[in-house]
Amino acid sequence: MKKFVLAAAAVLFVLPAVQAADDPVAARKAIMQSVAASAGLSGGLMKGDIAYSPAAGKAAIASLNAAALSYGSFFPEGSDMAANTTASPKIWEDAAGFAEALAKFSAVTGAAAQASGKDGPADVDAFKAAMGPVLASCKSCHEAYRVQR
Ligand code: HEC
């Protein structure tokens, strides 16, 4: 019990630091790994390699939507210089354009979440229709705002 109280107090205390992200590059890479995992799950469901279920479809869509809504918080000025990032300097040079790409990502994942309803898209065709625009958004953002290292 005492441990729990201490832990809870510690959580309250560090919250502002967490919001600023101690390691924003690691955080944004982890978010994209989760995005890629959800895209992989989606591909498997669409091709029939994984048996479709509304719950699985909903899990993929919900995690993509959460990623889209939080992703923009992990790009502090200067973090394009990190050794292990593929974020392009263009993210900061063209901040308005990157904000637009983020807004588009949120809009398409939000629409998919809306379409998936409480229980997830009812069948694989409904899932494909909801996910199409989401999967199409990866490439355009990467082409504009990612560099190869
Ligand atoms: C709004 C822009 C944007 C969208 C949309 C986007 N990405 Fe990314 N993605 C990035 C950026 C920027 C990076 C580089 C992050 C870094 O290295 O700091 C990245 C990195 C990645 C990585 C590498 C992560 C790592 O560990 O280095 C993967 C995998 C990835 N994205 C997959 C996807 C997939 C799949 C989608 C579509 C479902 C997608 N991304 C949509 C901007 C985007």
Side-chain angles (χ1 to χ4, degrees):
M1 185 60 191
K2 196 175 164 204
K3 246 190 186 158
F4 172 75
V5 171
L6 282 176
V11 166
L12 284 176
F13 182 70
V14 301
L15 247 173
V18 169
Q19 278 166 356
D22 288 341
D23 189 345
V25 175
R28 72 194 186 213
K29 284 165 82 88
I31 291 173
M32 273 296 146
Q33 289 295 326
S34 151
V35 163
S38 296
L41 170 61
S42 301
L45 292 169
M46 287 173 173
K47 281 185 257 160
D49 294 344
I50 304 169
Y52 183 78
S53 76
K58 181 164 177 144
I61 287 171
S63 78
L64 284 160
N65 190 213
L69 292 171
S70 55
Y71 192 54
S73 305
F74 299 99
F75 291 87
E77 197 76 46
S79 62
D80 57 323
M81 303 312 261
N84 57 349
T85 184
T86 57
S88 164
K90 233 189 109 192
I91 287 173
W92 294 270
E93 290 159 14
D94 176 22
F98 186 58
E100 211 172 286
L102 285 169
K104 190 185 153 209
F105 193 32
S106 295
V108 292
T109 59
Q114 196 85 68
S116 85
K118 190 164 92 48
D119 299 323
D123 55 35
V124 74
D125 287 331
F127 179 69
K128 281 180 187 165
M131 276 300 294
V134 176
L135 294 176
S137 71
C138 315
K139 197 169 166 231
S140 59
C141 188
H142 285 179
E143 278 176 357
Y145 298 106
R146 243 186 123 189
V147 290
Q148 295 306 321
R149 295 230 172 178

